[in-house]
Amino acid sequence: MALVKLKSNYTVKPAEPTWEGRLTLSELDQIGCITHIPTISFYRPPQNWLNPPETITNTLKESLSRVLVPFYPLAGRLHWISRDHLELNCNAMGAQFVEAESESKLDEIIGHGGSFSPPPEYHHLIPIVDYSLPFHELPIVLVQLTRFTCGGISLSLTISHAVVDGQSLLHFISEWAGLARGEPLKTPPCLDRKALRAGMPPAGPPSLHHSFDLPSLVTERQSPNREKDNNNDKETALAMLRLGKDQVDKLKKMANEGMTRDGATSARAYTRYETLAAHVWRCACKARELRPEQPTALGVCVDARRRVQRGLLPRGYFGNAIFDVLASGGAGELVSKPLGFAASRIREAVEQVRDEYVWSAIDYLKMHPDLRVFQDLGLRLNSDKAKFPFYENPNLGVVSWLSLPLYGLDFGWGKEVYMGPGDVDGESSFLLPCPSGDGSLVVALCMRVAHMESFKNHFYEDIVD
């Protein structure tokens, strides 16, 4: 494994005085993952940006300091106000900025063409969050700039998911890049969490039924192949699996077969997300060799920004506005029936997230006696207090980044050659468009090592004309 050396570590504070005080978080900020989520981008800067070497560092630090003024909550610190509720202390303590050097070349890390499995060094390109520290001392934002021997660089940012979701994260990075290029702020963040009734009492009992229960994890005793699926061996690997536009089109054709009769469309065609998520779900069932009667669930992340009618969320709402809902079925029927069946279960889960569902779910969470049952804090902290059943065999999470503005993040030295998640927790995946814009996609998948090769085989071989 090539060596990555940490060269320096800075604290970057807002360039100007900012509002200080306590910011109440919404219930949606405090469920699911409430630790840090990393992203990483790779660049090939032109030669004039590399001399002197500190040019890129100074540009990033100075623009980060300025962007933390309008985005001042990111310079604060989280702290517990009860056993299951967090609050954001806007105290201008700043973000952490790390410089590092790698002995590798850029092409040795991100690969070429189709699928690739990131080498072990990949994880050393991401800033480390020291969870042994008291929670209220952890920076909300950590940045790592790594230089490669070829002149390429990586820029990794890890940020607390209790403060932002994917949409807000990309909003922040986009504005940061714009300031680095000398442009003014385009869309100020809306920092008022009361848009999702943060700190307010429930409006009343929830009007709908809400359940976040996942099927029980498969144990060694239940597995048809004990040696292959030893529950005590949970080593996972991260793979980036590429699908060309023709493969995506074939999958959509497979999913939508039978939806037209007599030349008329009988239902709305399945989307790229519904199709790809269904394909990933079925391949996982096959790779894990689940018994036909085994229940399995797919975690679907739904953005409520476009689904709320009453009290529309303001433009630039900065915080979590996402819901995790579950598509479920039996492994046997998912595998034996056409792809459209799995896609239909996913659509049913997504379509329940409407205006009434959003406000009812918020009331449900407000009235729940212990939000810890919905928090996966223990995933990284190994806390026995966390009860959230994160995604493992027989379950899986599939998050779509297909509609997010991932690319074109130019800090002044050109656009990235690759951007994606820095890591994936549990057994989950992200769907991303390729930066080429030609309709090809990447599935960033984390799965047990014992199942990965089988998954890859099904992932490509199950696509038929």
Side-chain angles (χ1 to χ4, degrees):
M1 181 179 70
L3 185 64
V4 176
K5 292 183 179 179
L6 299 182
K7 305 295 290 185
S8 57
N9 193 331
Y10 310 92
T11 296
V12 178
K13 296 188 176 184
E16 302 172 11
T18 59
W19 179 84
E20 296 192 10
R22 302 297 176 91
L23 186 64
T24 302
L25 300 178
S26 77
E27 279 67 31
L28 298 190
D29 292 318
Q30 302 183 71
I31 60 173
C33 178
I34 57 172
T35 49
H36 289 70
I37 300 296
T39 62
I40 190 166
S41 300
F42 296 90
Y43 297 86
R44 290 190 174 93
Q47 191 62 38
N48 63 311
W49 272 98
L50 301 177
N51 293 305
E54 63 269 15
T55 301
I56 289 178
T57 302
N58 292 340
T59 297
L60 288 173
K61 288 169 57 181
E62 189 272 337
S63 56
L64 177 59
S65 179
R66 286 192 289 123
V67 80
L68 287 177
V69 175
F71 289 86
Y72 61 82
L74 299 183
R77 297 292 185 267
L78 290 164
H79 69 111
W80 294 101
I81 55 174
S82 67
R83 63 177 186 172
D84 63 334
H85 277 73
L86 288 163
E87 193 172 58
L88 181 53
N89 184 9
C90 299
N91 55 13
M93 292 293 291
Q96 182 176 316
F97 188 97
V98 177
E99 279 191 283
E101 292 180 352
S102 170
E103 295 180 350
S104 296
K105 296 180 179 179
L106 186 56
D107 290 337
E108 295 172 356
I109 301 294
I110 61 175
H112 297 279
S115 64
F116 75 97
S117 296
E121 183 188 5
Y122 193 81
H123 299 283
H124 297 280
L125 306 177
I126 299 164
I128 297 173
V129 184
D130 185 2
Y131 287 113
S132 67
L133 294 173
F135 201 70
H136 64 272
E137 294 183 10
L138 298 177
I140 290 173
V141 174
L142 300 93
V143 178
Q144 181 171 324
L145 169 66
T146 305
R147 303 174 188 273
F148 300 98
T149 57
C150 61
I153 63 172
S154 67
L155 181 65
S156 178
L157 182 145
T158 186
I159 189 167
S160 172
H161 210 326
V163 181
V164 301
D165 58 12
Q167 186 73 39
S168 294
L169 167 64
L170 268 298
H171 179 192
F172 167 69
I173 300 178
S174 177
E175 297 290 357
W176 177 17
L179 290 181
R181 297 193 305 269
E183 299 176 1
L185 197 71
K186 292 182 179 178
T187 304
C190 173
L191 304 177
D192 185 4
R193 306 289 171 111
K194 291 181 180 178
L196 285 175
R197 300 178 47 221
M200 299 179 184
S207 58
L208 300 173
H209 172 73
H210 300 276
S211 175
F212 298 88
D213 295 330
L214 286 166
S216 299
L217 301 183
V218 171
T219 66
E220 181 183 355
R221 181 174 55 83
Q222 295 172 301
S223 174
N225 190 333
R226 296 187 180 189
E227 181 179 353
K228 184 177 180 180
D229 190 34
N230 186 339
N231 203 51
N232 294 321
D233 181 10
K234 298 184 178 181
E235 181 183 358
T236 59
L238 178 64
M240 307 294 184
L241 309 177
R242 185 182 183 278
L243 289 175
K245 183 180 184 302
D246 59 334
Q247 294 170 305
V248 175
D249 290 342
K250 287 179 182 179
L251 281 172
K252 290 186 69 175
K253 182 180 178 182
M254 291 169 58
N256 288 292
E257 285 179 353
M259 294 188 72
T260 58
R261 295 182 179 88
D262 300 325
T265 302
S266 59
R268 177 170 55 88
Y270 291 116
T271 65
R272 286 186 305 169
Y273 173 76
E274 292 165 340
T275 299
L276 268 294
H279 182 57
V280 170
W281 195 10
R282 294 173 86 233
C283 291
C285 290
K286 294 178 181 180
R288 291 163 166 173
E289 299 181 6
L290 298 179
R291 298 182 185 277
E293 67 276 12
Q294 173 64 52
T296 173
L298 183 85
V300 181
C301 185
V302 182
D303 191 338
R305 286 173 175 82
R306 300 178 183 177
R307 294 173 175 267
V308 174
Q309 301 299 321
R310 173 163 49 95
L312 289 172
L313 289 181
R315 184 168 180 257
Y317 177 77
F318 194 73
N320 283 278
I322 54 175
F323 284 87
D324 288 329
V325 294
L326 299 177
S328 59
E333 61 181 354
L334 290 169
V335 170
S336 63
K337 292 184 177 181
L339 181 62
F341 174 76
S344 71
R345 304 310 297 264
I346 294 168
R347 174 168 291 182
E348 290 173 7
V350 172
E351 289 190 341
Q352 69 180 306
V353 184
R354 299 298 178 188
D355 186 77
E356 182 182 7
Y357 179 94
V358 171
W359 300 114
S360 176
I362 289 174
D363 285 331
Y364 171 80
L365 294 168
K366 285 180 177 292
M367 298 181 71
H368 201 279
D370 192 350
L371 289 183
R372 289 181 299 172
V373 300
F374 309 119
Q375 297 169 346
D376 69 351
L377 180 65
L379 184 56
R380 293 190 178 179
L381 306 193
N382 297 316
S383 167
D384 57 4
K385 297 179 181 179
K387 306 173 186 177
F388 188 83
F390 63 93
Y391 301 117
E392 270 194 19
N393 189 7
N395 309 310
L396 188 72
V398 180
V399 177
S400 174
W401 281 9
L402 295 175
S403 61
L404 293 181
L406 296 178
Y407 303 116
L409 296 174
D410 180 2
F411 287 82
W413 52 79
K415 299 178 182 180
E416 68 288 309
V417 294
Y418 171 85
M419 190 275 185
D423 200 359
V424 183
D425 276 328
E427 295 193 63
S428 298
S429 59
F430 286 79
L431 308 183
L432 305 92
C434 286
S436 60
D438 61 358
S440 56
L441 305 175
V442 170
V443 177
L445 173 77
C446 183
M447 179 166 278
R448 290 194 191 183
V449 172
H451 301 149
M452 182 63 84
E453 287 306 311
S454 177
F455 180 95
K456 290 180 181 179
N457 291 336
H458 288 295
F459 186 74
Y460 291 108
E461 293 175 2
D462 287 6
I463 302 175
V464 297
D465 292 322

